Amino acid sequence: MQARYDIAVIGGGLAGTVAALLAASQGWSVAFIAPAPPRQDGRTTALLSESVDLLARLGVWDEVLPSSAPLRTMRILDGTSRLFRAPPVQFHSSEIGLEAFGYNIPNQPLFDALHNHATETSGITRFEAALTGADQGADDIKLHMTDGAEIAALAAIAADGRNSMLREAVGIKVRSWRYPQSALVMNFSHQFGHGDVSTEFHTEEGPFTQVPLPGKRSSLVWAVKPGDVDAILGLSRDRLNAEIEARMHSILGKIEVENVPQAWPLSSLIADHFGAGRTMLVGEAGHAFPPIGAQGLNLGLRDIIQAVDALKDAGGLENAPRAVSRYNRKRRLDITSRTAGVDLLNRALLSDFLPMQALRAGGLAALSALPPLRLLAMREGMTPGWRAGNTFMAASDN
């Protein structure tokens, strides 16, 4: 007999596990189709206040807080040698009444904490086989897995990444494009304290971004040309340390890289629709872009919150098609505007076209010189329609 669940969540990464936990917190029975990830994730994620609130609701935040560092100041420094160069721009969380914009969290401890909670949650049944296909009907969606198992659910959440099998199975197409960049990610210790400041250097190859970790440690996302990846990875540790220190103009003193750097190609993707039938796309199943401005996972977690809210507001999971239609309409502006904004900023960094360089420099100069504009940018960067009084559990001093 075919097993039946209220909702199925496909994808065992950060977004998928959060989706499974949030769905189970509503009292729904959850089929969690979550094959083991292919490798350890050495990246970190800057989670903004809304995302931290969600982790707190799920009972995960206290576990990952010791591994996290608050982000109280974000600054942009022009590290190019171009004709049009922008002045430094600094954003302080205190300017919009927050203890911190959010926290920088290593992905692996966050992943482990989320999966431990999912394992301990009685309403979640995990399937470690991969999805092979899906059939949507009038009353449910049937899901097929590599081990021959089949289940049925009233609704489904696709959180299975850029190459989403469920997205393909329900017929949603995507537009995707690549950049002439790869991101090198690593953690490092440094001589001087970071003061809870994240610094993004804009270079001709893209952003070179230091983000605080606890103590005198930081994470680094370094955009380079794909042809330079092997040469950088082949550097001795001493030469790599010196190269990073030089690119940071020694603002943190001596550098010591802690782990083997990982390389990730940079590309963007956006789905034509964010749901179909009884299925909703969340996270990188629906959108993906370069790691600029702390938007990626935060946007995905906002997807999850609104997906669950849409299902609740529809009057029951049996009305999933109505919820999917509402979710698709509600998410479009947020996702398309942020995808376009990150794409424009990244292309402006790479462009040799002088008017484009002048536009980028002028925009950053305006943010630096005009406090009302800077405040607006900070508020909208946190959450669309941000307003004073947004809740945020400022736990950095607890």
Side-chain angles (χ1 to χ4, degrees):
M1 183 176 179
Q2 192 176 64
R4 300 186 67 82
Y5 296 86
D6 291 327
I7 190 167
V9 175
I10 293 80
L14 296 175
T17 314
V18 169
L21 287 168
L22 189 59
S25 74
Q26 311 306 311
W28 301 334
S29 61
V30 180
F32 185 30
I33 301 175
R39 62 169 168 168
Q40 293 282 93
D41 192 340
R43 295 173 294 178
T44 67
T45 297
L47 291 182
L48 302 179
S49 61
E50 183 182 38
S51 299
V52 172
D53 285 341
L54 176 57
L55 294 185
R57 286 169 56 193
L58 297 176
V60 176
W61 177 240
D62 286 344
E63 294 182 30
V64 298
L65 177 57
S67 301
S68 310
L71 306 175
R72 294 192 170 96
T73 298
M74 296 183 182
R75 63 184 173 191
I76 299 174
L77 301 178
D78 195 327
T80 69
S81 56
R82 289 170 170 163
L83 177 62
F84 295 104
R85 300 182 73 245
V89 183
Q90 294 200 83
F91 304 94
H92 301 283
S93 61
S94 59
E95 293 182 88
I96 55 173
L98 293 178
E99 173 70 17
F101 290 116
Y103 290 77
N104 189 38
I105 306 174
N107 284 7
Q108 198 61 49
L110 177 57
F111 177 86
D112 293 342
L114 288 167
H115 268 264
N116 288 340
H117 275 255
T119 299
E120 296 166 0
T121 300
S122 59
I124 297 175
T125 302
R126 181 172 178 177
F127 298 85
E128 294 192 355
L131 188 74
T132 59
D135 301 302
Q136 295 203 102
D139 300 319
D140 61 19
I141 178 170
K142 294 179 173 59
L143 302 156
H144 316 288
M145 288 169 271
T146 52
D147 62 359
E150 295 186 357
I151 64 168
L154 294 173
I157 292 178
D160 48 343
R162 296 172 185 241
N163 300 314
S164 171
M165 171 60 73
L166 183 53
R167 183 188 66 217
E168 181 178 343
V170 300
I172 299 176
K173 298 186 180 301
V174 299
R175 291 177 288 122
S176 61
W177 56 99
R178 294 185 177 276
Y179 300 98
Q181 298 162 291
S182 291
L184 294 174
V185 296
M186 65 199 81
N187 298 333
F188 63 95
S189 59
H190 37 80
Q191 181 180 3
F192 307 131
H194 47 57
D196 302 333
V197 176
S198 175
T199 303
E200 182 171 285
F201 292 89
H202 285 184
T203 78
E204 287 87 350
E205 291 79 33
F208 178 95
T209 307
Q210 164 267 331
V211 191
L213 287 171
K216 293 181 180 180
R217 301 174 59 244
S218 292
S219 62
L220 176 67
V221 180
W222 177 5
V224 301
K225 297 177 181 177
D228 293 337
V229 169
D230 289 342
I232 294 172
L233 295 180
L235 292 174
S236 68
R237 186 54 57 91
D238 286 344
R239 289 188 62 191
L240 180 60
N241 293 339
E243 180 68 21
I244 294 171
E245 181 183 346
R247 287 177 175 268
M248 295 193 66
H249 303 280
S250 298
I251 61 174
L252 294 176
K254 296 292 184 183
I255 298 297
E256 183 66 39
V257 173
E258 297 178 349
N259 58 334
V260 176
Q262 294 181 341
W264 304 80
L266 294 187
S267 61
S268 285
L269 169 153
I270 187 166
D272 290 347
H273 305 283
F274 305 111
R278 293 179 171 271
T279 299
M280 290 179 277
L281 310 184
V282 303
E284 291 193 341
H287 50 80
F289 42 72
I292 297 174
Q295 294 299 314
L297 183 58
N298 291 287
L299 189 61
L301 297 187
R302 196 149 61 245
D303 293 340
I304 294 164
I305 293 169
Q306 294 191 11
V308 170
D309 284 348
L311 289 166
K312 292 181 347 187
D313 293 344
L317 293 170
E318 63 274 10
N319 298 321
R322 184 190 309 164
V324 170
S325 178
R326 179 175 181 271
Y327 171 80
N328 183 57
R329 292 194 306 271
K330 191 168 184 180
R331 295 304 297 138
R332 181 156 299 279
L333 177 61
D334 187 15
I335 293 171
T336 55
S337 64
R338 288 171 197 271
T339 301
V342 169
D343 180 68
L344 178 62
L345 178 57
N346 194 43
R347 291 185 187 277
L349 280 176
L350 299 176
S351 177
D352 291 325
F353 186 49
L354 285 178
M356 180 68 81
Q357 294 176 21
L359 178 64
R360 180 187 69 85
L364 291 174
L367 287 174
S368 178
L370 302 173
L373 182 61
R374 190 169 63 253
L375 291 175
L376 176 63
M378 283 190 283
R379 289 167 176 162
E380 290 303 315
M382 296 291 291
T383 305
W386 190 100
R387 58 181 175 80
N390 255 17
T391 59
F392 177 36
M393 299 184 65
S396 62
D397 297 321
N398 294 342

